[in-house]
Amino acid sequence: MESIIFIAPPAAGKGTLSKMFQDKYKIPHISTGDLLREASRGNDEDSKKLHEKLKSGFLVDDEIIMKLLEERISQDDCKGAYIMDGFPRTINQAKAYEKLLNNLGKNIGQVFYIGVDIDVARDRIIGRLSCPKCNAVYNELIEGEQPKVKGACNTCQVNLIKRSDDNVETFEIRFKTYMENTEPLINYYDNLGILHYIPEDMDKKTAFKLIEDIVTGGAV
Ligand code: ADP
């Protein structure tokens, strides 16, 4: 199985698809957003600065991202395939990632681009809740995505939280930041011949199968 990189605007469903692969294949789901949120929970100055940055919706400095990422993918569970959710987000990061993979003797895998309409994404952000322990994502306003018990994680039973950047104002900044910085990556990976497109109206089960066929070489 090959590694997966998801490129998508905020709330396109990359977290949900990642979780489906993590559950079925027991491969690590690496979300740079989750890594950063964890790093921002400390009481020191750096953590507080990071928390403010995340709240703003702008991108975090490459230096911080690359350090967290190198630490994470050097761990034993990343010897095989893994899912990369939210990284790379700029051409610079894509180039730094290639260097890192070369140094570690790893392959990049396949890149999947998921489209989403801005209005649909905005609606999803408004009701989104996540588990601070396992990072599962729910939506209190969308039927079928609500937790079984209001406000609690189905798996961990802990109280769900609203991300500090899940509000309409920050969402607009995140979407714009995505269009400016991350969209150019689509061409970049297309030129490398590893880009695949998941249409925005494709249901999650069909999308899962499509990705699965590609990363397993149709072996399932
Ligand atoms: P979303 O895709 O919904 O915006 P994420 O959890 O992926 O949510 O990211 C949340 C925030 O974390 C981003 O708005 C940004 O500030 C920061 N972040 C995540 N990944 C990166 C990255 N690769 N480079 C820079 N900043 C990042």
Side-chain angles (χ1 to χ4, degrees), residues 14 32-33 36-37 54 58 60 65 86 89 93 163 174:
K14 52 187 158 53
T32 42
L36 290 165
R37 278 184 285 279
L54 292 175
F58 291 105
V60 171
I65 295 285
R89 256 171 154 99
Q93 288 184 4
R163 272 170 47 175
R174 281 156 61 200

Side-chain angles (χ1 to χ4, degrees), residues 16-144:
T16 309
L17 278 167
S18 298
K19 191 115 186 53
M20 289 164 81
F21 274 95
Q22 186 185 26
D23 288 348
K24 177 158 179 187
Y25 287 98
K26 311 291 170 218
I27 57 175
H29 166 208
I30 303 171
S31 151
T32 42
D34 287 344
L35 290 177
L36 290 165
R37 278 184 285 279
E38 266 160 46
S40 75
R41 283 187 193 128
N43 268 326
D44 55 295
E45 273 314 302
D46 283 352
S47 305
K48 284 181 191 155
K49 257 196 221 157
L50 188 55
H51 182 77
E52 286 311 307
K53 186 82 179 193
L54 292 175
K55 230 167 118 179
S56 76
F58 291 105
L59 293 181
V60 171
D61 294 347
D62 284 357
E63 207 187 315
I64 299 177
I65 295 285
M66 293 313 296
K67 187 170 169 280
L68 282 173
L69 196 78
E70 180 166 3
E71 271 170 23
R72 181 64 191 92
I73 65 171
S74 302
Q75 289 170 14
D76 273 356
D77 63 340
C78 293
K79 281 209 169 101
Y82 51 82
I83 307 146
M84 194 60 97
D85 162 1
F87 177 92
R89 256 171 154 99
T90 62
I91 300 277
N92 263 348
Q93 288 184 4
K95 289 184 176 159
Y97 187 44
E98 268 153 51
K99 264 197 201 147
L100 179 60
L101 291 174
N102 260 337
N103 290 343
L104 298 173
K106 290 180 186 295
N107 290 325
I108 188 158
Q110 302 293 327
V111 180
F112 297 88
Y113 162 57
I114 315 169
V116 72
D117 178 76
I118 185 165
D119 296 324
V120 174
R122 195 187 292 106
D123 285 352
R124 284 191 191 152
I125 291 279
I126 294 170
R128 189 153 84 168
L129 292 173
S130 48
C131 173
K133 199 165 167 215
C134 74
N135 298 315
V137 175
Y138 301 88
N139 198 302
E140 57 187 350
L141 304 177
I142 300 174
E143 213 169 305

